[in-house]
Structures are given as structure tokens and as C-alpha cells.
Amino acid sequence: MAETSEISGSLVPLARREAMILLEAGYLWLDMGQFDKAREIFAGAAVLMPRSEVPQLALGSLEFAQGRHDKALQAYRAAQRLAPNSGLPRAHAGEALLFMGKVPEAMKELKAAIDLAPDGDGARLARALIEAKEAGALPPPAARK
């Protein structure tokens, strides 16, 4: 039998490879602009993997790609609740907050992402966003306050 995914927390036995393929399919639909199909896959993954933050991050990415930063933030917050010690949900939450024009709150999240795991993916994303902010590229002009 296949090894159960450490990212899944699955309701049904789900191999790591199967979980990755499922999520990759959703990201392919997202990249092709097929948002409804991507949503179906990511929502299904969230049901199959209720203790994993990964499908919630994917749902947040889907909302973010459509410019729905408030809904993206909700998904990223759900991911944070599932993985409170992970910097990646915090970094994505910070990104959404930047695009919503909530700069002080965004910077707090980005700094928390760095503090949680200084060498992790979340910290790398957070540093890139902070650099973009300091360079004047973020938040976008419509969101500046």
C-alpha cells in the first residue's frame, strides 16, 4: 500500500504522489484561467485533506489570481489556523494585505513569516515582498493608503 501523505491528513488513504498530482492539476487549471475547474479541485483537496494547509493556500492563490484579495486573505487565515508555525501562510496573508492597502498589518505578517522560519519559503516570499514595498512597487497604486 502507498505511504500516506504527510501533507494530507487525509480522510481516505491518499498517497503523497496522489495528493501532489491532485494539487498540480488544480494549479494547471488556475494557470490556464479555468478558475471554476481549479476551485473544484482545490475545494475537493481541502475536503480530502482537512488537516493540511496546502489546499487552503491553493484556494487563496486562486482568489488572489482573480483579484479577490479579501477572499484570498480568508483562505490564507484558514491555512494559518491549520499550520500556525508555518511562515508561508503568514507571508501570503501579508501579500494579500499589501494588495488591500493595509500596509502596517501586512508588514507585521511579513515580519512574522520571517521570524517563524528564517530559511523557509515563507521567509523568502516575505523578504521579496518587503523589498518590493521598499522599492515602491507595492502596494499597487489603487490600493495605496
Side-chain angles (χ1 to χ4, degrees):
M1 182 167 155
E3 179 183 327
T4 301
S5 171
E6 73 246 14
I7 66 164
S8 68
S10 303
L11 290 177
V12 295
L14 188 64
R16 179 176 176 78
R17 182 168 183 249
E18 291 166 340
M20 290 173 61
I21 290 169
L22 179 64
L23 291 165
E24 280 298 318
Y27 277 108
L28 288 172
W29 286 122
L30 174 59
D31 288 345
M32 293 188 299
Q34 299 291 318
F35 301 128
D36 290 340
K37 291 177 181 178
R39 183 178 317 286
E40 282 182 42
I41 289 176
F42 293 148
V47 170
L48 287 172
M49 301 180 275
R51 291 183 298 273
S52 173
E53 78 280 10
V54 177
Q56 293 300 326
L57 289 171
L59 285 165
S61 295
L62 172 66
E63 296 296 348
F64 192 90
Q66 295 174 83
R68 295 190 274 218
H69 303 117
D70 56 335
K71 290 188 182 241
L73 181 60
Q74 290 174 5
Y76 297 144
R77 294 290 191 217
Q80 271 182 275
R81 287 188 295 277
L82 291 166
N85 296 320
S86 174
L88 200 54
R90 302 292 294 257
H92 280 293
E95 180 179 33
L97 288 162
L98 274 175
F99 277 77
M100 293 168 69
K102 298 180 178 184
V103 176
E105 192 177 348
M107 297 306 284
K108 180 180 172 184
E109 289 293 330
L110 295 172
K111 289 175 182 167
I114 294 167
D115 291 342
L116 279 169
D119 296 323
D121 290 339
R124 283 189 283 281
L125 174 59
R127 283 188 198 96
L129 290 165
I130 290 170
E131 287 175 18
K133 166 71 179 112
E134 289 172 352
L138 292 175
R144 291 180 199 259
K145 291 188 178 185

